Amino acid sequence: SNIDTGVQWEHPALMNQYRGWDGSAGDHDYNWWDPYNQNPLVPTDADGHGSHTMGTMVGSDNPADPLNADNAIGVAPGAKWIACDGFDNNTGSGYDAELLECAEFLLAPWDLTGANPDPDMRPDVINNSWGGGPAQWWYNQAIYAWRAAGIMGVFSGGNAGPNCATVHSPSDYTN
């Protein structure tokens, strides 16, 4: 899974790995959430960054043999994905309340109405290619909850380096 700018679910390198795609129709319940309610029914990506990071994770253009595809670009091209749009399409910013709502959704995904959470539908790994300044601890409890549920949260370190104190939160958390 990822928390990012969304995912263009019908992208040819991602569609067949989408957990909500059965080969003929999409079912977005338990597979997509938009806390901003800007695209609540279908996974979209207003920025393209979330689709890019999802491609890095699971991208492949051969559904029959994703690992041996001509374009098996992801590190786990045979894996299935779900997503949460953690960023406002209008401002491009990720706000604390919505990023925490994404964390909760991925801990126990719910249907498109926001009801019927099912922790059995949670992902194994959540990629987060976002962060704020260093030493911001507001996301700590979400990561503790993921770890308790057996979810591995992965965060980018940012692009500010190479000096000390340039890794951003939440990637600078000890957990």
Side-chain angles (χ1 to χ4, degrees):
S1 178
N2 76 3
I3 298 174
D4 209 293
T5 61
V7 177
Q8 188 61 44
W9 82 277
E10 293 176 305
H11 188 287
L14 300 174
M15 186 173 183
N16 290 304
Q17 291 84 272
Y18 177 49
R19 187 173 73 185
W21 177 246
D22 68 4
S24 61
D27 179 1
H28 308 299
D29 282 328
Y30 302 94
N31 300 312
W32 167 250
W33 187 249
D34 176 5
Y36 298 94
N37 203 34
Q38 294 170 328
N39 295 292
L41 302 178
V42 177
T44 60
D45 187 353
D47 180 78
H49 188 266
S51 298
H52 162 76
T53 60
M54 190 61 75
T56 302
M57 294 186 314
V58 303
S60 179
D61 65 353
N62 186 342
D65 190 6
L67 296 175
N68 295 307
D70 290 338
N71 292 302
I73 56 174
V75 296
K80 295 291 185 185
W81 65 269
I82 65 173
C84 188
D85 188 351
F87 291 81
D88 186 298
N89 292 345
N90 298 314
T91 67
S93 295
Y95 298 103
D96 295 358
E98 288 79 9
L99 289 167
L100 287 166
E101 189 171 327
C102 282
E104 291 173 9
F105 167 72
L106 293 171
L107 187 61
W110 48 70
D111 62 28
L112 291 174
T113 70
N116 306 305
D118 184 350
D120 290 335
M121 300 292 284
R122 70 183 178 269
D124 296 316
V125 178
I126 302 170
N127 181 65
N128 302 271
S129 189
W130 55 270
Q136 297 181 11
W137 310 116
W138 63 274
Y139 214 69
N140 233 347
Q141 295 304 314
I143 297 168
Y144 282 125
W146 288 349
R147 289 179 56 111
I151 299 170
M152 175 68 180
V154 180
F155 290 84
S156 68
N159 299 315
N163 298 324
C164 292
T166 58
V167 174
H168 291 194
S169 296
S171 65
D172 62 352
Y173 295 0
T174 59
N175 66 344

